[in-house]
Amino acid sequence: MTNEELRESLLMAPKNGYARITPEQRAEMESYCKRYAAFMDACKTEREATSWASAEAEKRGFKPFAPGMAAKPGDKIYMNNRGKSILLAVIGTESLDHGANICAAHVDSPRMDLKPNPLYEDSEIAYFKTHYYGGIKKYQWPTIPLALHGVVARKDGTCVTVTVGEDEGDPVLVISDLLIHLSADQMKKPLAEGIVGEQLNVILGTEPLEGEGADLVKLHIMKLLNEKYGLIESDFLSAELTIVPAGKCREVGLDRSLLGAYGHDDRVCAYAELEALFAMETPAKTAVCILADKEEIGSVGISGMQSHAFEYFMETLCDAQNVRLEECFANSFCLSADVSNAFDPNFAETCDRRNNSLLNYGVAICKYTGSRGKGGASDASAEAMGHVRSTLDKAGVVWQIATLGKVDQGGGGTVAAYMANRNIVTVDAGVPVLCMHAPMELVSKLDCYETMLACKAIYLA
Ligand code: MN
Ligand code: MN
């Protein structure tokens, strides 16, 4: 054998995804990405994603979960978990003691939540005080257009939805930064201290009400909120209002090969899972799609992946088939569908290029996340990786391997560990992202499309 022949038979030779997909797939990729962009424009919070998914599921014949319900092959069932996360299942022809094929993504993204008592006036400017949610670089959030999203539970027991800053005619909100002319001291600070958490105060207005009295700018803002939403100041005490970047998902690059949006992490995988599920006929194994909340702060809380809400849903399906939940979990597989960091040549020193995901090389499979010696990772087994590898190869999915940065450079986590703790074999995989957790994140259209194909293949495995 020549060295060339040996090289071909023994060594890996990864190829850019554009060299691997057909013209038909390329056209499908474009239309898939249009639908994904529309989803992103409609869903910037976990609540919005959950309502959107519930409505779409209803249209496609999914029935709301009810205790004691049947779970026969072909049945489509969903559970809206208190408006903040959603679990969907298509019941397979095999009994649930054979396990389920699960894809689990999250629909919460880093942002700035309003504090319980947010509204104040200083120097005749009205502001909202915020507390950031998830990991953000605080300096990235001033001087960009922001929008207000959320719900308020009013004193009278009704709940009102608030959205400001997304419609063409809406005003946007902004956090100020210091002019460069007076930034001598600020510019000497480390990036982490240039803007601090208590400076993430959102400007709401500057026009005082006519007449005499204190805080007339604040009073004016409260009057406007009262006229539009029927709110009084104490209603903020029972609200989930959040500040997110304003604006739509945009094509990026002269060749339009990328999508730029707030919150690709992890709605890009959430949408992939959903569309793959919606496209399915009755599978052999039951397919379960999870859009979880609270991943960005540790998968905690009633709507996070550590919540027993998942057991409640799965156990009800198992009960309907006289199957033990433990038996089902032991034979299940979970793709923890979450984003990875795309290699960025601008910051090459932070990554091991040989083991990092690249834009346009397809869905990125990640054996372990974690930090400092894989701490906190679920670290998938050789066999689990082998299962994913052969499943994706068989389905012709373009995929690549991923690790999160250089050893000891940092790290991260996903829902994988919480699924694996349930005795479910779990592997991380998802779309590579540039500038993850920034107000605008970038993903490649090709990787988005291949991730949807990967979810489809896993549901059918
Ligand atoms: Mn994520
Ligand atoms: Mn994240």
Side-chain angles (χ1 to χ4, degrees):
M1 261 194 186
T2 66
N3 283 354
E4 262 328 293
E5 286 164 342
L6 273 177
R7 188 185 309 280
E8 210 162 288
S9 60
L10 297 182
L11 298 186
M12 296 196 291
K15 261 202 203 142
N16 190 295
Y18 277 99
R20 300 175 57 184
I21 60 170
T22 63
E24 293 72 41
Q25 285 176 317
R26 203 165 155 171
E28 270 177 47
M29 169 190 101
E30 290 291 347
S31 63
Y32 172 78
C33 286
K34 283 206 173 68
R35 296 191 295 277
Y36 169 56
F39 164 78
M40 289 300 273
D41 293 344
C43 305
K44 290 195 173 180
T45 65
E46 67 280 358
R47 277 184 189 272
E48 289 163 0
T50 297
S51 326
W52 191 95
S54 298
E56 290 296 314
E58 290 269 356
K59 277 189 222 163
R60 288 166 171 78
F62 281 73
K63 296 274 172 282
F65 167 93
M69 73 192 306
K72 299 184 302 296
D75 283 357
K76 297 174 174 179
I77 300 165
Y78 77 95
M79 182 174 91
N80 181 326
N81 183 10
R82 300 164 173 92
K84 290 171 66 73
S85 67
I86 182 168
L87 304 150
L88 307 100
V90 179
I91 308 299
T93 50
E94 292 176 14
S95 159
L96 271 161
D97 57 4
H98 292 224
N101 283 321
I102 304 164
C103 290
H106 65 94
V107 282
D108 61 317
S109 298
R111 61 191 189 221
M112 290 165 293
D113 289 339
L114 297 203
K115 291 191 182 187
N117 185 13
L119 182 60
Y120 73 103
E121 175 175 335
D122 191 340
S123 310
E124 295 172 70
I125 304 173
Y127 293 96
F128 276 149
K129 283 215 77 70
T130 65
H131 191 149
Y132 66 96
Y133 169 98
I136 63 167
K137 290 179 165 183
K138 297 173 195 86
Y139 72 84
Q140 291 178 331
W141 296 73
T143 70
I144 60 167
L146 299 168
L148 175 68
H149 288 235
V151 298
V152 184
R154 288 181 296 205
K155 199 176 177 181
D156 64 6
T158 58
C159 206
V160 62
T161 300
V162 175
T163 317
V164 181
E166 301 294 358
D167 282 341
E168 215 45 54
D170 276 2
V172 293
L173 307 177
V174 172
I175 295 169
S176 66
D177 194 359
L178 185 60
L179 63 167
I180 183 68
H181 315 67
L182 300 181
S183 294
D185 293 338
Q186 187 198 33
M187 295 299 280
K188 286 184 202 134
K189 292 180 180 173
L191 272 180
E193 292 163 22
I195 295 286
V196 298
E198 290 292 352
Q199 285 175 318
L200 295 176
N201 302 318
V202 184
I203 296 173
L204 300 172
T206 59
E207 184 187 339
L209 281 182
E210 270 179 47
E212 294 302 307
D215 286 349
L216 290 173
V217 179
K218 169 180 168 176
L219 191 59
H220 187 192
I221 294 298
M222 203 60 241
K223 184 165 174 271
L224 291 173
L225 288 169
N226 183 264
E227 284 163 3
K228 186 156 182 203
Y229 299 107
L231 302 184
I232 58 174
E233 190 179 18
S234 64
D235 289 331
F236 287 123
L237 302 174
S238 50
E240 282 179 16
L241 290 169
T242 190
I243 302 289
V244 297
K248 294 186 169 232
C249 181
R250 302 287 301 268
E251 289 183 308
V252 174
L254 297 182
D255 63 0
R256 301 170 184 264
S257 60
L258 304 173
L259 292 174
Y262 160 69
H264 284 309
D265 176 11
D266 184 31
R267 288 192 277 282
V268 68
C269 297
Y271 186 78
E273 283 182 12
L274 257 186
E275 189 166 317
L277 189 83
F278 287 158
M280 245 173 32
E281 309 280 305
T282 304
K285 285 190 178 166
T286 292
V288 176
C289 168
I290 305 174
L291 310 191
D293 181 26
K294 295 283 182 281
E295 192 279 339
E296 296 294 358
I297 60 167
S299 297
V300 290
I302 199 162
S303 48
M305 208 56 246
Q306 298 195 63
S307 162
H308 226 69
F310 177 59
E311 275 76 7
Y312 178 53
F313 179 70
M314 291 301 294
E315 189 155 33
T316 302
L317 303 184
C318 285
D319 284 349
Q321 299 188 358
N322 282 320
V323 166
R324 276 178 62 229
L325 179 67
E326 293 296 325
E327 198 63 32
C328 173
F329 278 1
N331 294 312
S332 290
F333 175 80
C334 176
L335 193 78
S336 162
D338 206 343
V339 297
S340 65
N341 69 308
F343 181 76
D344 187 340
N346 253 353
F347 302 97
E349 68 284 2
T350 60
C351 295
D352 167 11
R353 202 178 177 297
R354 285 186 186 82
N355 285 283
N356 210 92
S357 60
L358 304 170
L359 289 174
N360 292 325
Y361 276 69
V363 57
I365 303 172
C366 194
K367 185 176 186 299
Y368 51 86
T369 56
S371 55
R372 293 173 303 281
K374 301 188 178 180
S378 90
D379 202 1
S381 71
E383 293 87 342
M385 293 295 285
H387 169 66
V388 173
R389 182 183 163 194
S390 60
T391 301
L392 299 192
D393 276 346
K394 211 160 69 189
V397 177
V398 178
W399 65 272
Q400 59 180 326
I401 204 74
T403 59
L404 192 61
K406 257 187 185 166
V407 176
D408 289 337
Q409 181 69 38
T414 64
V415 302
Y418 308 113
M419 301 307 286
N421 284 347
R422 293 173 157 116
N423 197 27
I424 297 171
V425 174
T426 302
V427 175
D428 276 299
V431 177
V433 178
L434 276 184
C435 29
M436 196 192 295
H437 286 204
M440 178 174 271
E441 301 175 317
L442 303 178
V443 293
S444 100
K445 288 179 178 175
L446 186 138
D447 300 332
C448 294
Y449 176 64
E450 294 298 330
T451 299
M452 184 273 292
L453 295 182
C455 292
K456 211 178 248 183
I458 291 296
Y459 287 139
L460 295 174

